[in-house]
């Protein structure tokens, strides 16, 4: 599991989610979701996302969306569930 998390389950357009959380396509296909509970006493850092340079043609500016950083997330999570993305076109 990674160190960067969101407070809420993603909704809406994938492209907007990528922009809000500065997630380059090279880093994640955004086709998996993991939902967990934090162990009591876990320490986290909360703050806005920084900019990301994905390629010569794609970059994301600093975002106001709050993200959660969890050091050693593998050891601090309980009751994790895995979900797969599915196509839903609008």
């Amino acid at each position: 599991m990674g160190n960067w998390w969101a407070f809420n389950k993603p909704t809406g357009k994938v492209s907007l989610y990528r922009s809000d959380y500065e997630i380059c396509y090279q880093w994640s296909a955004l086709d998996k979701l993991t939902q967990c509970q934090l162990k009591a006493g876990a320490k986290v850092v909360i703050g806005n996302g920084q900019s990301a340079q994905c390629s010569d043609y794609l970059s994301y500016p600093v975002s106001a969306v709050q993200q959660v950083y969890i050091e050693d997330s593998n050891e601090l999570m309980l009751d994790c569930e895995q979900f797969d993305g599915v196509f839903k076109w609008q």
Side-chain angles (χ1 to χ4, degrees):
M1 289 189 277
N3 296 85
W4 294 98
W5 294 78
F7 285 111
N8 300 306
K9 185 177 178 181
T11 60
K13 294 184 177 184
V14 172
S15 60
L16 183 56
Y17 188 81
R18 281 190 186 283
S19 178
D20 284 346
Y21 289 89
E22 297 92 5
I23 302 172
C24 295
Y25 60 89
Q26 302 95 318
W27 302 343
S28 175
L30 294 180
D31 61 345
K32 302 284 184 189
L33 176 103
T34 302
Q35 179 178 305
C36 304
Q37 300 294 318
L38 271 174
K39 288 182 181 178
K43 294 182 180 175
V44 302
V45 177
I46 299 170
N48 64 306
Q50 296 302 307
S51 61
Q53 182 73 39
C54 302
S55 71
D56 290 340
Y57 308 101
L58 178 63
S59 63
Y60 296 116
V62 172
S63 174
V65 174
Q66 296 292 291
Q67 299 180 24
V68 182
Y69 179 80
I70 306 168
E71 186 78 26
D72 301 320
S73 62
N74 286 329
E75 300 170 15
L76 296 174
M77 300 294 193
L78 298 170
D79 303 323
C80 293
E81 292 181 75
Q82 302 270 330
F83 301 91
D84 290 317
V86 296
F87 281 114
K88 181 178 179 184
W89 297 99
Q90 295 181 349

